[in-house]
Amino acid sequence: MSKAPQGCCTVSGLVKTYRAGGTEVRANDGIDLAVRRGEIFGLLGPNGAGKSTLVRQLTGLLRPDAGSIDLLGHDIVRHPERAARLLGYLGQESTALDELTVALAAETTGRLRGLTRRQARTETVDVITELGLEPLAHRPLAKLSGGQRRLACFAATLVGDRPLLVLDEPTTGMDPVARRAVWSAVDRRRAERGTTVLLVTHNVIEAETVLDRVAVVDGGKVIACDTPGGLKALVDGHVRLDLVWRHDAPTEVPAVAALADRAERTGRRWTLRTTPDEARELVAAVTTGPAFAALDDFTLATPTLEDAYLRLGGRHGGLAR
Amino acid sequence: MMRGVVDPGDNPSAHAVVSGSAVLVVAFVALNLLAQYFGKLRHTGGLDHYATLPVPPASVVLGTAAAYASFTVPGVFVTAAAGSWMFDLPMGRLWILLAVIPLAGAALAGLGAALGLLAPRQELATLAGQLGMSAALLLGVLPASRLPVPVQWLRDLLPSSYGVDAFALTFAPQPDWARVLLDLGVCGAVGLGSLTLATWAYRRAAR
Ligand SMILES: Nc1ncnc2c1ncn2[C@@H]1O[C@H](COP(=O)(O)OP(=O)(O)OP(=O)(O)O)[C@@H](O)[C@H]1O
Ligand SMILES: [Mg+2]
């Protein structure tokens, strides 16, 4: 049936243009992607890059202008309605379940996915326990905080087993405990059932720890696709030096003045990407004399996925630290 | 409130008022709340959730409509019983409401859902629902025989009117069951039509 037996989701030449009023936005401009079975695959990219547009086409919600989408051997462009049987989707915003309690939202979703009442109940209880939602189980979603609501929607997405989960920024607004619950739930499903997960994220730190592979999307195109390690190799041999000044930077010190143009500045923080040798010299220069007096804090670190992302030319503003 | 306008006792106007107010409870929920609900769902991306579940659009519309309509059952009975008591009408045939609520409910809910789903903006959905509600209020509660002819035509267009008429007829000492059935039949047919419209609107909105 499917050309590549190991493939879960294969996208090629995907184009989607929005026409609103007189303007046209080419949100997806020829996207190719191959997600393997059992993989946790991430889409990373700045605001407006076209990530949600891409996943909404995979879920059959949007019709592409051109290109093909294959989900587990099914042609989703021709049969968009089949997507609903193959995947569980958590949209970037979800208000559909607002009127229901957390438990009822999960149970109803399970029933609509074809579970019997008893199965839906059992799975709901399990998922609610797994995600630590017990204290909120009988409260309506509309009355929960943003992060709690997000977690409740995630719970609903998990009820009624699906071979593929498509999650659009699942952990937005969540505290560290909730985030960890999400990632361990995702991991457990992959380990126990071989579930494939395709997710959109802005959080590069999280992406680095959970994802098997990442596609960096920018301007409607995939500009890189590799493992987090592979992407980091792009900036191999470099380190990142962060300097945080107490007040204004001491530009009267020549070594500091020389950095002024090269550093990327965020408030009192200066960030430099450089070779280990130069970094060592710079650290020596700023940890003595007047520069040291003005220094609040400094860190020297090996490159992260974020550095790789910036190196790729992704826009800086779009990523959370 | 209506006692000032309508004579108490067993007369057609009293039948119409009691029957109209009871069906109004259905109209409020089905038209107003449902139009608001679907308007909000469409404009905040909520439809996506249902559109990515393996359920036909008709069952989403029907399920939601049924859930909303079932909330109205106690309200309708209380209104009908209170009205019957105020106007000294027989309460023996209030069971007819069990047919009137789903049929009028389906017709109005379909209309409400369609209004909510078709409105280009969320506020317009709310407004449309409220206008529909006001129409149901005016045209349903006032006795048809006292309305000017053009307004009577308008009344004939409103699906809830048939539910009101069917219910009102059962207050007669010897109800004309054939007409009751006919009215309920029309109500059901309109309900089918309006649910089809709502389903179409849902498909269109979920695209
Ligand atoms: N319904 C729409 N109508 C018109 N333009 C749209 C629509 N949805 C998205 N766009 C435009 O398409 C582009 C891609 O949007 P998309 O939502 O896919 O971005 P994204 O990568 O998910 O961004 P974010 O990180 O902010 O969620 C943007 O320029 C956006 O303005
Ligand atoms: Mg998005």
Side-chain angles (χ1 to χ4, degrees):
Chain A
M1 208 161 44
S2 148
K3 276 161 270 160
Q6 294 297 82
C8 172
C9 164
T10 311
V11 170
S12 63
L14 208 65
V15 175
K16 178 73 195 175
T17 306
Y18 291 109
R19 286 172 195 85
T23 58
E24 286 199 353
V25 181
R26 212 170 166 84
N28 281 179
D29 191 5
I31 291 207
D32 298 317
L33 214 59
V35 180
R36 301 179 199 127
R37 286 194 197 186
E39 192 168 41
I40 301 188
F41 191 97
L43 295 170
L44 191 67
N47 293 133
K51 307 178 297 292
S52 296
T53 304
L54 172 59
V55 298
R56 285 171 53 81
Q57 292 171 95
L58 300 181
T59 53
L61 287 168
L62 271 184
R63 202 180 178 76
D65 297 337
S68 67
I69 301 169
D70 178 291
L71 286 191
L72 298 159
H74 296 270
D75 178 351
I76 298 303
V77 179
R78 191 173 300 165
H79 306 287
E81 75 287 349
R82 291 192 189 167
R85 301 197 176 276
L86 303 171
L87 56 83
Y89 171 64
L90 176 63
Q92 192 167 1
E93 277 152 50
S94 189
T95 51
L97 304 165
D98 271 4
E99 325 285 316
L100 304 177
T101 64
V102 175
L104 207 53
E107 190 184 322
T108 308
T109 305
R111 294 276 286 158
L112 294 177
R113 288 214 173 98
L115 299 186
T116 63
R117 182 182 297 266
R118 174 190 291 247
Q119 284 171 328
R121 287 250 164 94
T122 318
E123 285 202 25
T124 297
V125 171
D126 291 349
V127 167
I128 282 180
T129 315
E130 182 180 8
L131 298 177
L133 278 167
E134 298 101 322
L136 305 176
H138 300 290
R139 287 177 48 192
L141 263 74
K143 302 243 164 77
L144 300 181
S145 76
Q148 292 171 333
R149 192 170 349 177
R150 199 76 190 134
L151 192 59
C153 289
F154 176 68
T157 309
L158 295 183
V159 177
D161 196 17
R162 286 287 184 266
L164 171 64
L165 294 175
V166 177
L167 313 170
D168 198 342
E169 299 190 27
T171 56
T172 302
M174 287 186 192
D175 67 26
V177 175
R179 279 167 193 260
R180 191 173 308 167
V182 168
W183 298 129
S184 40
V186 161
D187 251 348
R188 186 167 313 129
R189 271 157 192 76
R190 191 251 301 264
E192 290 173 5
R193 308 175 197 173
T195 307
T196 309
V197 184
L198 174 64
L199 65 96
V200 174
T201 181
H202 280 289
N203 192 315
V204 266
I205 313 253
E206 246 174 32
E208 198 167 340
T209 49
V210 258
L211 301 179
D212 298 323
R213 282 197 304 148
V214 194
V216 181
V217 182
D218 197 13
K221 292 191 162 82
V222 174
I223 57 172
C225 182
D226 207 334
T227 60
L231 288 177
K232 281 199 290 187
L234 287 171
V235 281
D236 239 5
H238 280 63
V239 291
R240 192 184 66 201
L241 177 63
D242 278 306
L243 304 171
V244 184
W245 307 107
R246 287 181 199 282
H247 305 289
D248 289 333
T251 39
E252 64 280 1
V253 179
V256 174
L259 296 177
D261 291 336
R262 291 172 48 200
E264 190 184 291
R265 305 193 202 182
T266 332
R268 293 178 295 114
R269 176 187 297 270
W270 286 19
T271 303
L272 286 141
R273 283 159 234 281
T274 176
T275 59
D277 286 342
E278 197 195 2
R280 208 170 302 126
E281 283 165 30
L282 288 173
V283 168
V286 296
T287 49
T288 48
F292 189 55
L295 195 64
D296 188 20
D297 188 19
F298 78 90
T299 46
L300 186 61
T302 51
T304 62
L305 189 56
E306 181 174 351
D307 298 296
Y309 172 80
L310 293 171
R311 177 70 175 267
L312 282 165
R315 274 195 302 120
H316 187 63
L319 291 166
R321 278 159 191 281
Chain B
M1 130 191 107
M2 282 290 175
R3 284 189 80 149
V5 195
V6 180
D7 310 320
D10 199 358
N11 67 70
S13 301
H15 299 175
V17 169
V18 173
S19 153
S21 336
V23 174
L24 187 66
V25 178
V26 181
F28 173 71
V29 171
L31 264 176
N32 194 14
L33 297 188
L34 219 54
Q36 266 188 45
Y37 174 77
F38 275 109
K40 180 175 165 229
L41 210 56
R42 175 180 166 197
H43 293 280
T44 53
L47 286 179
D48 287 4
H49 180 75
Y50 294 107
T52 52
L53 294 174
V55 279
S59 42
V60 174
V61 173
L62 262 176
T64 316
Y68 270 77
S70 64
F71 299 154
T72 68
V73 174
V76 176
F77 272 97
V78 169
T79 310
S84 303
W85 175 75
M86 270 165 65
F87 290 99
D88 300 325
L89 297 179
M91 298 199 199
R93 299 197 200 94
L94 290 189
W95 53 263
I96 189 76
L97 285 173
L98 291 177
V100 172
I101 296 173
L103 291 173
L108 291 169
L111 209 61
L115 287 176
L117 289 167
L118 292 174
R121 291 217 317 267
Q122 199 180 332
E123 311 85 84
L124 290 181
T126 307
L127 189 69
Q130 276 162 0
L131 282 178
M133 207 351 245
S134 315
L137 174 69
L138 278 175
L139 302 176
V141 177
L142 297 179
S145 51
R146 295 199 185 170
L147 296 173
V149 176
V151 182
Q152 285 194 21
W153 291 337
L154 212 61
R155 186 179 184 279
D156 289 342
L157 286 178
L158 200 71
S160 60
S161 309
Y162 301 95
V164 173
D165 290 348
F167 182 34
L169 285 169
T170 63
F171 286 123
Q174 299 290 308
D176 183 349
W177 290 110
R179 272 192 59 201
V180 172
L181 275 180
L182 182 70
D183 276 332
L184 287 179
V186 173
C187 210
V190 176
L192 213 61
S194 82
L195 286 171
T196 312
L197 174 72
T199 306
W200 171 80
Y202 175 87
R203 280 222 184 84
R204 184 176 167 273
R207 273 288 107 223

